[in-house]
Amino acid sequence: MRQKLVVGNWKMHGSTAQVRRLIEGVATGSAGLAKVEIAVGPTLLHMGLAAELCASEAAGHLKLAAQNLFAEPAGAFTGEVSAPMLAEYGVNYVIVGHSERREIFAETDQVVAAKFKATQASGLIPILCVGESLAQREAGTSAEVVLAQLNAVIETAGIEALRSAVLAYEPIWAIGTGKTASKEQAQEIHRVLREHIAKSDTAVAQGIRILYGGSVNAANATELFSQADIDGGLVGGASLKVEEFVSICKSAD
Ligand code: PGA
């Protein structure tokens, strides 16, 4: 059985007061949950504070996710942060290939693959995001698009690398739009991803967690998480509200 995972992607939101409130609230609200694994993803600036808070006994069950990194371990890369730096802060997961990074910051498949490898090289677990645009969905190419994004990483890192990785299917048209993929639409792409991996390695395919992301909320989480190939969620907007995020975590428990 794959353990469900719910990750809050806070994006560029938060003040120190809000980070405190969110972590303390989520920690308290999720204290009794035995099965689901929960991670919070603050900005890099707030990672130190988040790490401190998550080191407390009350919040010790919360994991930390970074939203981004740079693929080199150190050097003259003004403004960037590396995997070894994140590892020192006790970060567990790193989101790579989010559509906002691909679109706004022009990250190519090659850049994403390099970030994926750098994450694993420091012992951290990448959460590799794949997803199609609305035009690509309407053209009927959703499966083709996500498989190409996945293949770009497999070609660089190898199929074995997926043993210690998480996938996230995030249809771009569903991110921040309030327009969730139906459970059938999401399950279909998750199945395609898992079957594709199974062609190379069935054990890796069975073991890898595939999260759904795109307007997950307290009202739709249960039906999404009940699908055979959906192993949790990558949650944006709803992760900034304590009660709603805790409710989503309960749906996965
Ligand atoms: P959303 O964002 O839940 O606000 O749609 C999800 C994401 O971008 O990871």
Side-chain angles (χ1 to χ4, degrees):
M1 263 305 270
R2 297 181 291 269
Q3 184 186 19
K4 290 257 193 316
L5 170 63
V6 176
V7 182
N9 174 10
W10 295 352
K11 307 194 181 183
M12 199 174 74
H13 293 288
S15 58
T16 53
Q18 197 183 4
V19 167
R20 243 176 230 291
R21 194 178 53 73
L22 275 171
I23 291 184
E24 287 169 1
V26 170
T28 306
S30 64
L33 304 183
K35 289 183 272 179
V36 63
E37 184 182 357
I38 302 167
V40 292
T43 69
L44 292 175
L45 189 61
H46 294 122
M47 194 60 79
L49 171 61
E52 225 173 84
L53 292 166
C54 289
S56 73
E57 206 181 311
H61 60 292
L62 301 182
K63 304 272 177 70
L64 287 172
Q67 302 170 22
N68 185 36
L69 48 54
F70 190 65
E72 296 297 327
F77 304 106
T78 302
E80 296 297 323
V81 167
S82 72
M85 293 171 186
L86 296 174
E88 198 188 353
Y89 276 83
V91 168
N92 308 91
Y93 294 98
V94 183
I95 300 169
V96 299
H98 191 283
S99 59
E100 286 153 18
R101 304 256 7 136
R102 292 182 193 262
E103 290 192 337
I104 305 169
F105 301 99
E107 289 190 7
T108 61
D109 280 344
Q110 287 64 41
V111 167
V112 173
K115 291 187 174 193
F116 181 100
K117 282 185 76 171
T119 298
Q120 289 191 328
S122 285
L124 309 179
I125 301 175
I127 300 175
L128 172 66
C129 301
V130 297
E132 83 284 7
S133 67
L134 185 58
Q136 289 164 332
R137 171 150 289 263
E138 285 171 348
T141 56
S142 305
E144 202 177 300
V145 169
V146 299
L147 291 182
Q149 290 168 334
L150 174 59
N151 280 338
V153 169
I154 294 175
E155 277 158 26
T156 308
I159 194 80
E160 278 294 312
L162 295 183
R163 264 186 212 289
S164 49
V166 173
L167 274 181
Y169 169 53
E170 296 211 311
I172 297 167
W173 48 272
I175 295 178
T177 58
K179 233 176 150 191
T180 320
S182 69
K183 59 184 193 302
E184 292 84 8
Q185 284 174 323
Q187 164 58 24
E188 170 60 13
I189 298 294
H190 284 233
R191 183 189 62 76
V192 164
L193 289 165
R194 201 179 302 283
E195 278 182 4
H196 179 73
I197 298 167
K199 285 183 205 148
S200 304
D201 192 316
T202 50
V204 171
Q206 277 316 306
I208 193 165
R209 291 181 290 182
I210 309 179
L211 313 183
Y212 168 78
S215 299
V216 174
N217 58 41
N220 60 29
T222 302
E223 64 172 21
L224 285 163
F225 298 166
S226 68
Q227 299 301 299
D229 290 297
I230 301 183
D231 306 306
L234 181 52
V235 185
S239 70
L240 294 166
K241 301 173 204 149
V242 169
E243 276 181 25
E244 179 131 23
F245 188 65
V246 167
S247 167
I248 292 167
C249 294
K250 286 182 179 163
S251 300
D253 196 53

